[in-house]
Amino acid sequence: MITAKSLLIHTDTLFESIINDGFFGAILILLFFGIGVLGYKYFKKKS
């Protein structure tokens, strides 16, 4: 019973860390993509 509870807590934190990492990864990708698009438009307009 004790091992099942500790295992449940472990899988909860494991899934939470995966979700949080995926969330921050998606934000970083969107941020870099946005910067790239803005930079591309800016340099295209300049030339």
Side-chain angles (χ1 to χ4, degrees):
M1 190 126 180
I2 291 166
T3 51
K5 265 193 173 178
S6 64
L7 184 68
L8 185 70
I9 289 165
H10 179 69
T11 51
D12 278 354
T13 52
L14 187 72
F15 281 125
E16 279 174 13
S17 66
I18 289 168
I19 290 165
N20 287 338
D21 288 346
F23 183 67
F24 285 118
I27 285 178
L28 281 173
I29 289 167
L30 284 172
L31 188 69
F32 281 119
F33 181 73
I35 290 169
V37 168
L38 286 173
Y40 174 74
K41 283 184 179 177
Y42 176 73
F43 285 118
K44 198 175 179 187
K45 195 167 67 175
K46 268 189 108 173
S47 59

